Amino acid sequence: MAPQISPSILSSDFAALGAECDSVPSADWLHVDVMDNHFVPNLTLGLPVVESLLRHVSTPIDCHLMIEDPDRWAPAYAEAGAGSVTFHVEAAHAPIRLAREIRNQGARAGMALKPATPVEPYADMLPELDMLLVMTVEPGFGGQKFLDIVVPKIRRARELIAGSGGEVWLQVDGGVDVRTIGICAEAGADVFVAGSAVFGAADPDRMVRELRGIAEEASA
Ligand code: DX5
Ligand code: ZN
């Protein structure tokens, strides 16, 4: 699959969220980080804000739920119209059932792994998923440094996906910028979340296109 860029609005100006979303028309997705101050030590936004964004933007929304009990909360984001809903496996009580519910509500089902969570135990679950998110920082905050230690896991995840039929997208999130995106693409990632790199740039949309170009070159 051609590389896709999903700018994380966590690094945007929340007082001007609509305009910030409009500033990246080249984005394939808009990445929305939902944090509950329990699963991660930070609090961001929830369903009402996502519903407002869905009315405002035409770019599909990629919800990354960093919350406890996603079994209870995640299906509502799919029902609201998010194109992709990703839960953390560390927080899910019944990840297979949850992935099926997200798909039943019409969204792509994503499952996220924190940096220290191995991918191998979930190999048999891949057919239940549309996307696997390998976190390249500890979830909770934008602007952290990319964890190089996760690169071999990206590679192993790509191998497992290839072995399972190859339909699952492989997303990376955290510290992705012009230096690290090529490393991730070369290791097999194909969906790239970038927050501070995009919204900290003088021209965010140009940065989206630049990142995509680097990823295309590295994955070719
Ligand atoms: C962190 C979030 C990320 C964050 C990435 O927990 O999941 O989506 O916004 O920000 P950068 O790209 O600045 O590392
Ligand atoms: Zn995220």
Side-chain angles (χ1 to χ4, degrees), residues 11 46 69 71-72 75 80 89 102 104 151 154 158 160 168 173-174 178 182 197 207 216 218:
S11 292
D69 205 3
D71 305 68
R72 175 170 173 196
V89 71
I102 291 170
N104 280 341
V151 174
I154 302 171
R158 172 51 67 195
L160 292 172
V168 184
D173 180 8
V178 290
M207 179 55 70
E216 278 167 358

Side-chain angles (χ1 to χ4, degrees), residues 7-21 31-35 42-46 49-50 52-53 66 140-142 195 199:
S8 167
I9 61 166
L10 183 62
S11 292
S12 74
D13 176 4
F14 275 20
L17 213 39
E20 292 280 61
C21 291
H31 184 85
V32 178
D33 290 299
V34 175
M35 304 186 192
N42 195 8
L43 184 66
T44 54
L45 51 83
V49 176
V50 170
S52 291
L53 285 176
M66 284 158 278
F141 299 92
F199 289 103

